[in-house]
Amino acid sequence: MRKWLLAAAAAAVIAAPASVMAQAPIIIKLNHVVANDTPKGKGALKFKELAEKYTNGKVKVEVYPNSSLFKDKEEIEALQLGSVQMLAPSTAKFAPLGAKEFEALDLPWLFKDDETYAKAMKGPVGKWLFQKLQAKGITGLAYWDNGFHMVSANRPLLMPTDFQGLKVRISGSKIADQYFRLVGSIPQILAFSEVYQALQTGVVDGCENTASNYLTQKFYEVQKHITVSYHAHLQYAVIVNSKFWNGLPPDIRTQLDRAMDEATDYTNSIARKENEDALAAIKASGKTTLHYLTDDQRKAWQTAMAPTYKWAKGRVGQEVLDLIAKELNVNMN
Ligand code: LMR
């Protein structure tokens, strides 16, 4: 009997490494399309650091920046299929998920400043939009900020007529498609990773984006004129596959929620400064000319693009527009 016990104990010792091996870390693949040195890039790395720390290494987060695993459209498919577990796409790219209501956030001059944007996303608007995702098997964890869009071309864009005939790259939103059409340009959807080359070779003439993206993707090197118009806002939703997320051990999920909350506060606290610094670096490069709209020029853009609001109703539905109107105290017509 004793001999048998000893043999069992020995077997248990031999088996120990196997049981340790069986507890391999849970891997979260987080794919995104921008550089590490941007608000989203830094946010992803912060989440990795905190998630691994709070779970004592039980979770390992693999961050794939710059479309290194998947490009825009593919990453959404990959999330649905479970080839990646976490993404942070711009909300302008949510129509393929069956949630085009997110495009309401792309309305021109919707948010008057960073604070108004942040308040809206923390309140009923942000929550309502995340509910739309639930039905699609996707869970929204957080909104990450990346400030306001500028717009560029190889000619100065100061009045709406300057856009006439311009081929402008957009990221996916039909709302952006609409406001660029209203000023006479021809919008074209392209994956983010293809924009630099498309600008360089003349496949498109112009684009819109935030300063941090212009800098890190070097768009400013192939665009002679940038208008610091801040005509629309760029924000991300951090999303996970619900089946994966709900299948995690509850204590792990709690720690990941904590890591995400802190990474979100961090990202949103650096976004403005990151973009200000990026704009200063673009200016210092001397490779492009920055333009700022006068009040009259801005009003002319706003008037030309205003019909987007009425048009949006058919695209995103009245409900989200009413919610936003109430929250921001703005007129949606
Ligand atoms: C774009 O495609 O222009 C942006 O959505 C890229 C990003 O993620 O900031």
Side-chain angles (χ1 to χ4, degrees), residues 33-34 40 72 90 93 146 169 171 192 209 213 234 236:
V33 300
V34 297
K40 176 160 65 178
D72 292 323
S90 142
K93 298 175 183 172
N146 190 10
R169 180 268 173 177
S171 69
F192 187 63
N209 232 301
N213 279 341
L234 175 57
Y236 311 111

Side-chain angles (χ1 to χ4, degrees), residues 33 53 55 151 197 213 293:
V33 300
K53 182 168 140 197
T55 62
V151 62
Q197 216 190 349
N213 279 341
L293 297 177

Side-chain angles (χ1 to χ4, degrees), residues 25-26 84 205 212 236 240 243 312:
I26 297 165
V84 292
D205 307 307
S212 57
Y236 311 111
V240 285
K243 212 163 145 199

Side-chain angles (χ1 to χ4, degrees), residues 39-40 42-55 86 122 141-145 238 245 253-271:
K40 176 160 65 178
K42 290 186 175 178
L45 292 173
K46 177 60 81 181
F47 173 70
K48 170 184 169 63
E49 174 201 321
L50 298 176
E52 292 177 357
K53 182 168 140 197
Y54 293 156
T55 62
M86 190 177 279
K122 277 200 187 123
L141 298 180
Y143 291 104
W144 286 1
D145 190 4
V238 184
W245 194 248
R253 210 170 43 235
T254 303
Q255 296 310 334
L256 292 180
D257 277 333
R258 181 179 165 210
M260 183 53 69
D261 283 351
E262 289 177 27
T264 298
D265 287 346
Y266 165 78
T267 310
N268 293 340
S269 75
I270 63 166

Side-chain angles (χ1 to χ4, degrees), residues 194-223:
E194 291 162 13
V195 179
Y196 177 87
Q197 216 190 349
L199 291 169
Q200 194 185 35
T201 56
V203 168
V204 290
D205 307 307
C207 66
E208 61 171 357
N209 232 301
T210 58
S212 57
N213 279 341
Y214 268 94
L215 179 70
T216 52
Q217 301 298 323
K218 303 195 190 319
F219 297 161
Y220 70 101
E221 292 186 358
V222 285
Q223 293 279 265

